[in-house]
Amino acid sequence: MNDQTYKRATYNLITFVTSKIISNMGWSTYSFGISLYVLTITGSATNFAINFLCSSVPRIILSPYAGYAADLYSKKLIIVLSQLLSLLSVLGLLTASFFDQITITFIYLTTILLSIASLFNSVTFTSSVMNLIDEKRTQKAFALSDASKNIGSILGPVIGGILYAYFPLNAFLILFIICYTIALILDLSLDFHVNSNVEKKTKQDSQKKGFISNFIDSFHYVKKNVLLISLASTSIFISFFFTSIQVGMPFILVNELQLSSYQYGIVQSSFSVGMILTALYLSIRKEFEYPFILAKKTILLLSIQFTVMIIPLFYTFPNPILFPYYIIWSFLLGGLISLMNTPTAVKLLKMISENYRGRIIGTVETISSALVPFGIFLYGLLFDLLNPKWVMIVTSILSFTFTLYLLRKTVLMKAHPEYFAKKGKFIKEVEKNLEG
């Protein structure tokens, strides 16, 4: 890579991360404000749930199409159009607010449009990270992107709480529009061809095949790669099992152990802090030599964390110990997830041909998005009907078992044969020394 290309990649990296921080802050603040507004004007948990469905259902249905578009059409155009759709949707809601015409139906429609725009934006950006920057800094880009999401998740509720206390709903909408306008301007300056190997003719040939044929091609592509199947399956199952934490953490900490809402909020924030600090660490260190070995160890530790969460249900801890116990637990949980996600995502993207990245990411997104609401519903029932201790213990065992099977030695040998070759040499040397 020459100096000019390297400088362009550096500009892309800085601009990409800055855009993500600003847009994530705007999105997080808006989500906080609109959720409170829905509860305030309706007083109904059902309406709140419907708004959640308006956000999640489009992702389940349209993720394959987002992946298809990201592979076959201009990535920059898709990202710009998705940002414009987000801006116009919230601008419409803002205009309605000036005439006191905001209805719950209008909010649902805006949520659907924002969900569609966010889906196409995220799938396209994820599949194009390696086109924006040089290969050596892919981990840095992913880590900083993850950090920006979590910074937004912390700042959003803080800013949202202040705005909600002193300003009308308009303030949330105006802040969102400002943030997304800045992000759009930054995205317009990105160069998506710094590190791209796909020829224009290849895209044109794929476009002629149509949606179904292209997805059949991507299915055959994945089918040939056992490692890819195992990693995608592991990602999907972990997303499902993690819903036990999403449902179980408030249920156990607030209902069972009687932590205050303030303490529970601190515990939740510790999770984001753990992710941010780990992501920042990953952004400054070199890529892991054996990321899938790391992923297996990390997921096994995550599986143990499911059980660690319910230890205070077996032994009575006083509040001065219980509160810091869960702060540390939540911090480590966030750190482990970041440590698992970033190196694995980097290696996975490098394994997938540029021609297929969007479609494979879109397919995984569809399955994961479908399993999350199902998992939340299922675990909601389980926690209501069964003892939470056994729900989490069984989840921990299942997660541990699935990981051992999906990331078994024969699979990992395909990803890192050199690791097992070194390990074998080391064992032989030890045996020789023992014999001597």
Side-chain angles (χ1 to χ4, degrees):
M1 178 176 286
N2 59 44
D3 287 344
Q4 188 176 355
T5 306
Y6 185 83
K7 287 178 182 177
R8 191 63 193 169
T10 301
Y11 172 83
N12 277 348
L13 177 61
I14 295 168
T15 306
F16 165 72
V17 173
T18 305
S19 170
K20 282 294 176 187
I21 290 172
I22 294 169
S23 60
N24 283 327
M25 186 178 71
W27 171 259
S28 184
T29 306
Y30 167 83
S31 299
F32 180 88
I34 208 71
S35 298
L36 285 179
Y37 185 77
V38 168
L39 284 173
T40 301
I41 64 172
T42 66
S44 167
T46 302
N47 289 114
F48 184 80
I50 291 172
N51 195 52
F52 172 76
L53 287 174
C54 289
S55 177
S56 58
V57 171
R59 299 190 74 88
I60 297 170
I61 297 171
L62 297 176
S63 287
Y65 295 93
Y68 171 79
D71 279 341
L72 273 61
Y73 299 100
S74 167
K75 291 177 171 60
K76 187 170 187 174
L77 180 62
I78 294 168
I79 286 167
V80 169
L81 289 176
S82 66
Q83 295 282 56
L84 281 172
L85 178 58
S86 297
L87 278 168
L88 292 173
S89 302
V90 177
L91 189 60
L93 200 60
L94 179 63
T95 304
S97 72
F98 288 136
F99 298 97
D100 294 324
Q101 295 297 315
I102 291 184
T103 63
I104 193 67
T105 304
F106 207 150
I107 291 172
Y108 291 159
L109 177 61
T110 304
T111 300
I112 291 169
L113 292 174
L114 286 174
S115 177
I116 294 170
S118 172
L119 167 67
F120 276 81
N121 188 281
S122 63
V123 169
T124 305
F125 255 133
T126 301
S127 65
S128 62
V129 167
M130 292 185 65
N131 304 123
L132 289 166
I133 59 170
D134 50 292
E135 197 169 312
K136 289 182 179 179
R137 289 184 287 181
T138 308
Q139 179 171 292
K140 182 187 284 288
F142 267 97
L144 290 175
S145 178
D146 280 346
S148 73
K149 290 176 188 175
N150 286 286
I151 289 170
S153 71
I154 291 176
L155 290 179
V158 173
I159 297 170
I162 295 169
L163 290 178
Y164 197 81
Y166 299 104
F167 298 95
L169 179 66
N170 291 1
F172 290 93
L173 307 181
I174 291 169
L175 180 63
F176 180 95
I177 290 168
I178 291 170
C179 288
Y180 268 65
T181 300
I182 295 170
L184 174 60
I185 293 168
L186 291 171
D187 293 343
L188 280 167
S189 69
L190 291 171
D191 181 358
F192 285 83
H193 301 285
V194 168
N195 185 25
S196 179
N197 299 312
V198 176
E199 296 179 5
K200 190 174 181 181
K201 186 178 183 303
T202 305
K203 284 191 175 185
Q204 290 173 341
D205 291 343
S206 295
Q207 287 169 8
K208 290 175 184 177
K209 290 182 181 179
F211 176 78
I212 301 297
S213 296
N214 272 286
F215 259 92
I216 291 172
D217 285 348
S218 61
F219 173 77
H220 287 309
Y221 178 83
V222 173
K223 191 178 177 182
K224 293 175 185 175
N225 195 321
V226 176
L227 179 59
L228 203 55
I229 294 172
S230 295
L231 287 167
S233 302
T234 303
S235 173
I236 290 164
F237 280 114
I238 290 301
S239 295
F240 173 74
F241 288 130
F242 191 72
T243 58
S244 67
I245 298 290
Q246 292 174 277
V247 178
M249 189 160 72
F251 183 86
I252 291 170
L253 271 62
V254 178
N255 285 21
E256 299 290 313
L257 299 172
Q258 304 298 308
L259 286 184
S260 68
S261 57
Y262 166 76
Q263 289 176 320
Y264 175 67
I266 296 294
V267 170
Q268 269 199 319
S269 298
S270 300
F271 175 82
S272 295
V273 171
M275 289 196 77
I276 291 169
L277 292 180
T278 306
L280 291 175
Y281 162 71
L282 292 172
S283 73
I284 60 174
R285 67 150 287 154
K286 66 177 184 178
E287 289 186 17
F288 286 94
E289 197 173 359
Y290 309 114
F292 297 148
I293 304 292
L294 173 69
K296 181 176 181 178
K297 292 175 181 177
T298 307
I299 297 169
L300 292 176
L301 287 173
L302 274 172
S303 302
I304 294 170
Q305 282 284 78
F306 294 152
T307 300
V308 173
M309 185 175 75
I310 48 97
I311 287 176
L313 294 178
F314 289 94
Y315 305 98
T316 304
F317 288 9
N319 196 279
I321 295 176
L322 191 67
F323 182 40
Y325 174 88
Y326 277 111
I327 289 176
I328 295 168
W329 171 82
S330 184
F331 178 86
L332 292 174
L333 186 71
L336 285 170
I337 287 175
S338 187
L339 192 61
M340 172 192 71
N341 283 341
T342 302
T344 309
V346 171
K347 181 69 175 178
L348 193 59
L349 278 184
K350 288 182 177 180
M351 282 175 51
I352 302 170
S353 168
E354 189 178 339
N355 296 353
Y356 293 96
R357 280 179 197 149
R359 278 165 285 176
I360 292 171
I361 291 168
T363 303
V364 172
E365 174 81 19
T366 297
I367 301 169
S368 297
S369 297
L371 283 177
V372 167
F374 172 71
I376 289 172
F377 175 74
L378 176 63
Y379 276 105
L381 285 178
L382 291 174
F383 279 112
D384 281 339
L385 298 174
L386 304 173
N387 190 315
K389 298 175 188 175
W390 305 116
V391 173
M392 292 309 300
I393 288 172
V394 171
T395 298
S396 180
I397 293 169
L398 287 174
S399 178
F400 206 91
T401 305
F402 272 101
T403 303
L404 289 176
Y405 173 71
L406 291 171
L407 296 180
R408 56 197 179 274
K409 184 178 178 180
T410 52
V411 172
L412 293 177
M413 284 180 74
K414 296 178 184 294
H416 305 301
E418 66 281 7
Y419 170 83
F420 291 96
K422 287 181 183 178
K423 193 176 178 182
K425 287 179 183 177
F426 175 75
I427 291 170
K428 286 178 182 177
E429 286 177 9
V430 171
E431 287 175 346
K432 284 181 181 178
N433 290 332
L434 290 173
E435 288 173 3

